[in-house]
Amino acid sequence: MFTMKLRKATVAIATGLTLSLVLTACGGGSGSGDDSGNKITIGIKFDQPGVGLKTSDGKYTGFDVDVATYIAKELGHKAEDIIWKQAPSAERETLIRNGDVKFVAASYTINDKRKAEVSFAGPYLMAHQDLLVRADETSITKAEDLNDKKLCSVSGSTSAQNVKDRLAPKADLQQVGGYSECLTGLENKAYDALTTDNSILAGFAAQKEHQGKFKLVGLSLSDEPYGIGLKKGDTELQGKINKALEKMQKDGAWEQAIKANFGPANYKNDPAPPITETS
């Protein structure tokens, strides 16, 4: 009786092991390439039309989204593999350091301070600080024209402070919680101009409800090279992303994404910048 029970137990264990091996061979595990193992998490902005925006129906649009999707594809991920994670400006380095994202594409200007904490690939876009005014505005053609005029930007904006400190010290700077408030005030003539990166301004101006109401002045008050942020020292990923960006420029997808996201605002973009972040 004991021998029979032992034999049954041995058969049960062997059957279980065989079934386990079959399931693993059929993709039942979590290895790379299946539904769980091939996901990639990417940090973007959720509140910048034309750049990175989560729409009311849960979709993600914008130039940064298009660039990130292209990079993900070159890294072996389909669009449906991407998990989009909100990356507010103040949290980008933390998200990268903690491994919460594979990389960040979020109007992320490359500078020495940030490079002390993270690495970058790119740049993939050269933005410039500019001014957005009403379409019929003719008295503002340069930064100095903002003296004694009402300038709007978001709280803590370095762009607004740049104008206030260096370019138009007598500007009446109004800082609010979000760019949408600035746009409403600009349309209602509560403000005379809005300032931030031209790519962000173009994205807002290109929205269907804003088309024809605003225009970019066309100034280059600063250089803002946008890069892909990644974990410090990850030269392997940096090299792969740089190759993807170069391919995107060469096959026309970069220019197509520019026109699709910024075209309605008559955004005069710089040519695709050369890749400089290589170590």
Side-chain angles (χ1 to χ4, degrees):
M1 180 71 69
F2 174 77
T3 304
M4 186 177 295
K5 287 182 178 180
L6 180 61
R7 186 177 298 140
K8 287 181 178 179
T10 303
V11 170
I13 292 170
T15 302
L17 287 172
T18 302
L19 181 59
S20 175
L21 289 170
V22 169
L23 287 172
T24 301
C26 292
S30 58
S32 177
D34 62 28
D35 288 344
S36 59
N38 208 37
K39 297 293 183 183
I40 182 172
T41 303
I42 301 172
I44 58 168
K45 292 292 180 68
F46 278 15
D47 59 353
Q48 293 180 344
V51 180
L53 180 70
K54 182 179 181 180
T55 62
S56 57
D57 58 357
K59 295 180 180 178
Y60 300 90
T61 65
F63 183 71
D64 283 354
V65 174
D66 290 344
V67 170
T69 302
Y70 191 99
I71 292 170
K73 181 192 70 175
E74 292 301 304
L75 294 177
H77 303 275
K78 298 177 182 178
E80 54 265 32
D81 294 330
I82 300 173
I83 299 169
W84 299 109
K85 190 173 184 66
Q86 187 171 18
S89 295
E91 298 177 20
R92 290 176 296 202
E93 288 83 12
T94 302
L95 290 171
I96 294 169
R97 270 199 315 269
N98 292 347
D100 296 325
V101 295
K102 186 73 170 181
F103 62 83
V104 166
S107 54
Y108 202 3
T109 297
I110 301 168
N111 60 38
D112 290 340
K113 182 180 178 181
R114 290 168 178 164
K115 286 171 70 171
E117 299 187 55
V118 302
S119 291
F120 285 95
Y124 62 92
L125 180 71
M126 180 60 78
H128 305 281
Q129 183 184 347
D130 198 358
L131 303 174
L132 190 72
V133 297
R134 289 182 292 277
D136 60 356
E137 176 63 66
T138 59
S139 65
I140 300 175
T141 59
K142 56 185 183 299
E144 291 81 358
D145 294 334
L146 292 172
N147 283 312
D148 300 319
K149 292 187 182 293
K150 289 184 178 179
L151 173 66
C152 187
S153 196
V154 296
S155 299
S157 166
T158 54
S159 297
Q161 210 58 49
N162 183 37
V163 174
K164 183 70 174 175
D165 292 344
R166 299 194 307 108
L167 303 172
K170 294 181 181 179
D172 182 5
L173 175 59
Q174 306 288 320
Q175 299 190 69
V176 298
Y179 290 116
S180 295
E181 295 177 57
C182 285
L183 281 168
T184 300
L186 189 58
E187 184 176 3
N188 296 336
K189 300 187 178 181
Y191 308 122
D192 299 303
L194 160 61
T195 189
T196 188
D197 297 353
N198 56 3
S199 57
I200 298 172
L201 296 176
F204 277 105
Q207 285 185 292
K208 187 173 294 185
E209 64 268 30
H210 296 145
Q211 288 177 21
K213 296 180 181 179
F214 308 107
K215 65 181 179 182
L216 278 76
V217 176
L219 306 179
S220 295
L221 304 177
S222 68
D223 290 337
E224 308 292 340
Y226 287 180
I228 304 295
L230 54 128
K231 189 160 285 189
K232 182 75 172 173
D234 192 344
T235 55
E236 181 180 356
L237 181 59
Q238 181 189 57
K240 290 178 179 179
I241 293 177
N242 280 337
K243 284 184 179 179
L245 293 173
E246 289 172 346
K247 182 178 178 182
M248 188 178 187
Q249 294 172 8
K250 290 177 181 176
D251 68 13
W254 185 89
E255 188 66 35
Q256 185 178 351
I258 286 281
K259 290 178 180 177
N261 292 292
F262 304 126
N266 295 317
Y267 173 58
K268 295 177 175 59
N269 62 282
D270 285 16
I275 304 296
T276 58
E277 300 302 311
T278 55
S279 62

